[in-house]
C-alpha cells in the first residue's frame, strides 16, 4: 500500500495566525521516514514552498500556484520522470493570463480590480502582510496574477462568470484574488496516481485542507481530512469521499491529529 498525503499549507499544516509548524516538525519527518509521500499543494509560489521544505529539512514533491505546476516529480518515481516532464505544468504564463484578461474582461469589471504587480512595495506589503524576502517570494509568480477586488458581492459573481467564459479561473484567498488557468489543487491527482501505481500496491491519497480553495482536492481524495478554522468553523464537502476526518484542533496540531486518524481508518478498511 502506498500512502500519499496531499496537503494545503496555510491554515492546514501551517498555523492560521502565525504560519508556524515547529510543534509538529518532528512528526512530519516521522511520516516521511515511514515512507509516506507528502506533497504540499498550495496557492503559494515555488519559492515559498521551497522555503518551507528548507525549514522542514527535507526535499518534497509539491504543487504550487493552485495546481499550476508539479515540482520534483523524481521524488515520486525516479524511473518515470523523463516520460512525465511534459505533463508537470498546467498553468499559463502570467503574460498569457493578462493578455486574455485584457481582451476578454469588461471595463465594468476591470475598474474594480487592482493587480498587485502594478503597486509599489509598500502597498503590496500592506495588502499581503509580508515584507522583505517573504514578500519577494510571494510576488514571484509564474502562472498566476494577484489582484484585489473592490466591488460588490454581486459584481464579484459577474467577475467570476466573465473569467470562466474567458477560459480562466479566479480563486479568492482571503486577502487577494488569484487569476490563473483552469486548474486547481486536484489537477495532478490522476498523474500522481499513475506515477505511484504498482501492480502489487494500492495508492491511497489523503487530502488535507481547511478552505474552499481546497474543496476539489479534498473531494478527489480517498480520505479527506478537514482542519477547522480558528473561529471554529470547518469546511463542508458537498461530495465527500467515503472516508472523511474532521479534526478537532486547529493547525498545526490538527494536521497531525487528522493524519493519525486517517491512517487508522485506512488500516481498518484494508483488513
Amino acid at each position: 500500500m502506498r500512502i500519499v498525503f496531499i496537503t494545503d499549507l496555510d491554515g492546514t499544516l501551517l498555523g492560521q495566525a502565525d504560519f508556524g509548524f515547529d510543534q509538529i516538525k518532528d512528526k512530519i519527518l516521522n511520516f516521511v521516514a515511514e515512507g509516506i509521500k507528502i506533497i504540499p499543494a498550495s496557492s503559494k509560489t515555488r519559492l515559498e514552498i521551497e522555503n518551507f521544505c528548507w525549514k522542514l529539512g527535507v526535499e518534497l514533491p509539491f504543487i504550487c500556484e493552485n495546481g499550476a505546476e508539479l515540482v520534483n516529480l523524481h521524488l515520486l518515481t525516479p524511473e518515470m520522470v523523463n516520460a512525465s516532464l511534459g505533463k508537470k505544468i498546467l498553468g499559463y504564463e502570467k503574460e498569457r493570463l493578462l493578455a486574455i484578461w485584457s481582451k476578454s474582461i469588461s471595463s465594468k469589471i476591470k475598474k474594480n480590480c487592482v493587480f498587485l504587480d502594478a503597486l509599489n512595495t509598500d502597498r503590496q506589503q500592506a495588502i499581503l502582510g509580508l515584507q522583505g524576502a517573504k514578500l519577494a517570494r510571494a510576488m514571484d509568480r509564474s502562472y498566476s496574477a494577484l489582484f484585489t477586488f473592490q466591488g460588490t458581492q454581486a459584481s464579484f459573481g459577474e467577475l467570476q462568470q466573465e473569467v470562466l467564459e474567458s477560459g480562466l479561473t479566479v480563486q479568492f484567498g482571503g486577502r487577494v484574488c488569484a487569476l490563473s488557468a483552469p486548474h486547481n489543487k486536484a489537477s495532478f491527482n490522476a498523474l500522481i496516481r499513475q506515477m505511484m501505481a504498482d501492480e502489487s500496491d494500492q495508492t491511497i491519497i489523503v487530502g488535507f485542507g481547511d478552505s474552499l480553495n481546497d474543496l476539489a482536492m479534498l473531494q478527489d481524495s480517498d480520505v479527506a481530512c478537514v482542519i477547522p478554522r480558528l473561529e471554529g468553523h470547518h469546511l463542508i464537502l458537498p461530495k465527500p469521499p467515503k472516508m472523511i476526518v474532521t479534526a478537532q484542533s486547529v493547525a498545526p496540531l490538527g494536521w497531525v491529529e487528522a493524519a493519525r486518524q486517517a491512517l487508522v481508518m485506512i488500516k481498518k478498511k484494508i483488513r
Side-chain angles (χ1 to χ4, degrees):
M1 177 176 59
R2 297 182 174 186
I3 298 177
V4 182
F5 287 178
I6 302 182
T7 179
D8 173 50
L9 291 177
D10 292 352
T12 296
L13 186 148
L14 305 179
Q16 185 180 334
D18 62 3
F19 307 110
F21 68 98
D22 286 348
Q23 292 172 283
I24 66 168
K25 180 177 178 179
D26 290 344
K27 296 176 178 63
I28 298 171
L29 294 175
N30 286 342
F31 286 133
V32 174
E34 291 169 7
I36 294 173
K37 295 290 186 182
I38 298 181
I39 305 176
S42 175
S43 60
K44 289 180 177 295
T45 66
R46 180 170 182 160
L47 290 180
E48 287 180 292
I49 303 179
E50 286 176 341
N51 186 62
F52 161 75
C53 293
W54 176 77
K55 289 181 179 179
L56 182 61
V58 64
E59 189 178 28
L60 299 173
F62 63 84
I63 297 165
C64 60
E65 297 192 51
N66 282 322
E69 183 177 17
L70 173 58
V71 182
N72 293 336
L73 280 78
H74 65 284
L75 299 178
L76 294 174
T77 48
E79 67 275 11
M80 290 186 65
V81 66
N82 291 332
S84 303
L85 281 177
K87 301 178 182 178
K88 74 173 183 177
I89 297 175
L90 299 177
Y92 299 165
E93 293 185 356
K94 190 186 296 185
E95 292 77 10
R96 180 180 176 187
L97 291 173
L98 295 178
I100 296 172
W101 170 274
S102 178
K103 179 180 179 181
S104 305
I105 306 303
S106 67
S107 57
K108 174 186 174 183
I109 296 299
K110 287 177 182 175
K111 70 179 183 180
N112 290 317
C113 304
V114 178
F115 282 90
L116 270 62
D117 284 325
L119 303 178
N120 61 35
T121 301
D122 288 342
R123 290 195 64 191
Q124 292 173 348
Q125 179 178 313
I127 293 169
L128 295 178
L130 302 171
Q131 55 185 322
K134 291 182 179 179
L135 177 62
R137 286 192 289 265
M139 290 299 299
D140 189 8
R141 295 184 170 271
S142 299
Y143 309 108
S144 57
L146 302 181
F147 65 93
T148 60
F149 184 75
Q150 301 167 342
T152 63
Q153 185 173 355
S155 58
F156 186 74
E158 294 177 16
L159 162 66
Q160 290 178 306
Q161 184 60 36
E162 288 195 18
V163 168
L164 182 65
E165 291 173 355
S166 74
L168 304 180
T169 59
V170 61
Q171 299 278 359
F172 182 64
R175 290 190 176 110
V176 293
C177 301
L179 181 72
S180 68
H183 49 69
N184 57 52
K185 294 180 182 181
S187 295
F188 283 108
N189 277 18
L191 177 60
I192 291 168
R193 290 183 189 277
Q194 176 189 340
M195 294 185 69
M196 298 289 291
D198 186 284
E199 291 182 1
S200 61
D201 281 332
Q202 177 186 7
T203 298
I204 297 178
I205 291 181
V206 183
F208 297 77
D210 72 304
S211 69
L212 285 173
N213 198 23
D214 305 317
L215 192 61
M217 175 184 64
L218 291 169
Q219 294 189 155
D220 195 50
S221 300
D222 298 299
V223 186
C225 293
V226 178
I227 312 301
R229 305 285 293 173
L230 277 174
E231 61 272 18
H233 301 301
H234 67 267
L235 186 66
I236 303 297
L237 309 186
K239 298 178 181 179
K242 291 182 179 179
M243 293 185 284
I244 182 167
V245 173
T246 301
Q248 297 301 307
S249 304
V250 298
L253 295 178
W255 188 90
V256 174
E257 174 193 328
R260 287 173 173 166
Q261 289 185 38
L263 292 176
V264 170
M265 193 176 289
I266 292 167
K267 288 177 182 178
K268 286 182 178 179
K269 183 181 179 182
I270 64 174
R271 280 177 184 171

